[in-house]
Amino acid sequence: MRIEIKNRFSGSVIWAHEARKNSRKVTVEAAVKAGINLNEANLVGVNLEKADLTKARLSGANLKGACLSGAYLARADLSGANLEKADLSGAYLAEADLTKANLTRALLDTADLTRANLNGANLAWAYLVRARLRETNLAEANLKSGERLIGKRPIFQVGPIQGHHTYFVAYLTNKGLRFDIEGRSQVSREDFEQYLLNVFGDRVRAKEYWEALALIDGHAKSWIEA
């Protein structure tokens, strides 16, 4: 079976692959292995679960809704790529370039973003819980309301909270702190505090969140100056 990968804008064929048990995943992996430039490729909704995409050239590619769960993307170029609603859970992105990438509503749960470059990336609604962000470049990354991340340590995670698998994520932005809490993405401090009062009251779980908030407040100044 022959499968083609086309340019998202012109519709021209970038790469064609034919094999007896072919699939879009097999075709993409073959292209990457052959060193084919897949910049601006149309890969909407493609299933690339656990694919080996080491050093893949996917700048400007449209990967909206793609499954990249567990994919190996070390040193991949995803700059300017559309990863809206993509599943990057467990993906390995060490030294990958996601500059200006659109990660709106992307799932990054447990994703390894070690040393990844997310400079200017759109993180609107991105689910970053448990993502590994060691030495990740998040400079000028944008959140859903247009805030920009600032400082060298702009994201902080605490959890799991009170024996649950819930993680509390805080973002340091040019307009103040923003928070992810139990499915609520990048809310303001006022909304966060009101949520705690309305949902948890004075329960033990609420106390842990308040203590985590105090910890974040104590370090925010250092993050800005770092």
Side-chain angles (χ1 to χ4, degrees), residues 133 136 138 149-157 170-172 177 219-220 222-224 226:
L133 300 169
T136 302
L138 292 157
L149 295 182
I150 59 174
K152 293 182 179 178
R153 296 180 60 196
I155 296 177
F156 187 76
Q157 301 186 49
Y171 305 85
L172 186 64
L177 289 167
H219 284 273
S222 297
W223 294 353
I224 293 172

Side-chain angles (χ1 to χ4, degrees), residues 97-138:
D97 186 355
L98 288 101
T99 303
K100 302 297 181 183
N102 179 7
L103 289 159
T104 305
R105 295 187 184 274
L107 175 64
L108 290 152
D109 185 21
T110 73
D112 189 343
L113 296 163
T114 303
R115 294 189 301 280
N117 179 8
L118 276 73
N119 183 281
N122 180 2
L123 299 176
W125 298 98
Y127 186 71
L128 288 161
V129 173
R130 292 184 289 177
R132 291 181 283 276
L133 300 169
R134 184 168 61 87
E135 297 182 41
T136 302
N137 180 3
L138 292 157

